[in-house]
Amino acid sequence: MKKKILIPVVLLMCVLLLSSCGQGQNLQERTSPNEQSGSLQTSEQASFSFEGTVFHYGAHDYDVSSRNQSINSILSAIPVGQKIVIECHAGPKNGVYCIFDTESESFDEDILGNNLIWHSDDITTAVYSFWSEIHTYDGNIIKTYNLAEDSYIYDLAFCDNYAKLDVTIAHDDGTETDTIALPSK
């Protein structure tokens, strides 16, 4: 009886571990879109948490909806070096990423888009999608796709030791992956 229960549990754990490979975020904590609050404290940073549209850092509260009126909730807050990426829900097509600087305790410029990924605990390595375009962290366009109305950029993943990017495009009838070279720094 114990073997019958153990095998599915082990298989589920393997699937979960394998599904996190290649996401470019070094197994960083994520919350589901249905969770409306979360908190985390690291040894390098003050305590932070969020609830609704309010981000709490140390003794200060920041309502991110004042940064962009489309924001209706915070989905996650993930530390990246001296920054915290606050992923916000703003609509069905694109979100808003508010980048909080823990040294100055202020926000950098917001990123409008989806699928924000980075590597090496360095936010400047980030890439993201916005409608039919792929952008670098500083907003430069890497590639623009001529997408049909039923298509959208579904996922981004680093490959080839972070030199390239796999772009997964979803269509009504399936998905396709395009690999593009990333600009060198």
Side-chain angles (χ1 to χ4, degrees):
M1 184 69 164
K2 288 183 181 180
K3 286 185 180 181
K4 289 181 181 179
I5 294 172
L6 184 60
I7 291 173
V9 171
V10 170
L11 287 175
L12 177 62
M13 293 302 293
C14 289
V15 168
L16 289 174
L17 286 172
L18 289 173
S19 68
S20 69
C21 292
Q23 297 303 309
Q25 294 184 359
N26 299 326
L27 300 177
Q28 294 157 349
E29 182 177 317
R30 282 278 200 193
T31 58
S32 74
N34 295 327
E35 289 181 37
Q36 294 300 310
S37 66
S39 66
L40 180 68
Q41 182 171 354
T42 66
S43 59
E44 302 90 28
Q45 298 168 324
S47 172
F48 69 90
S49 63
F50 59 89
E51 184 174 1
T53 61
V54 178
F55 173 69
H56 311 282
Y57 184 80
H60 301 285
D61 296 337
Y62 305 89
D63 188 344
V64 293
S65 65
S66 67
R67 301 187 57 72
N68 184 311
Q69 293 180 350
S70 298
I71 295 173
N72 54 40
S73 68
I74 296 174
L75 302 174
S76 66
I78 303 169
V80 182
Q82 295 300 316
K83 310 283 185 179
I84 299 174
V85 175
I86 304 165
E87 181 182 9
C88 303
H89 183 269
K93 300 289 184 179
N94 288 298
V96 177
Y97 297 93
C98 300
I99 311 300
F100 185 79
D101 186 313
T102 60
E103 290 180 346
S104 66
E105 295 192 18
S106 63
F107 286 91
D108 293 346
E109 192 169 323
D110 298 333
I111 296 172
L112 303 176
N114 277 318
N115 305 306
L116 181 72
I117 60 170
W118 60 88
H119 62 84
S120 306
D121 206 30
D122 179 1
I123 193 65
T124 64
T125 65
V127 292
Y128 62 95
S129 62
F130 181 69
W131 296 110
S132 61
E133 302 168 340
I134 306 298
H135 292 256
T136 59
Y137 178 72
D138 59 6
N140 291 323
I141 298 173
I142 300 172
K143 184 164 184 174
T144 301
Y145 291 92
N146 186 14
L147 299 177
E149 193 170 315
D150 69 334
S151 301
Y152 60 97
I153 298 171
Y154 176 76
D155 190 38
L156 303 176
F158 292 109
C159 61
D160 290 342
N161 203 25
Y162 308 112
K164 295 182 180 179
L165 186 69
D166 282 340
V167 179
T168 303
I169 299 171
H171 309 279
D172 280 346
D173 60 350
T175 63
E176 66 177 290
T177 300
D178 181 33
T179 301
I180 61 174
L182 291 171
S184 58
K185 289 198 169 211

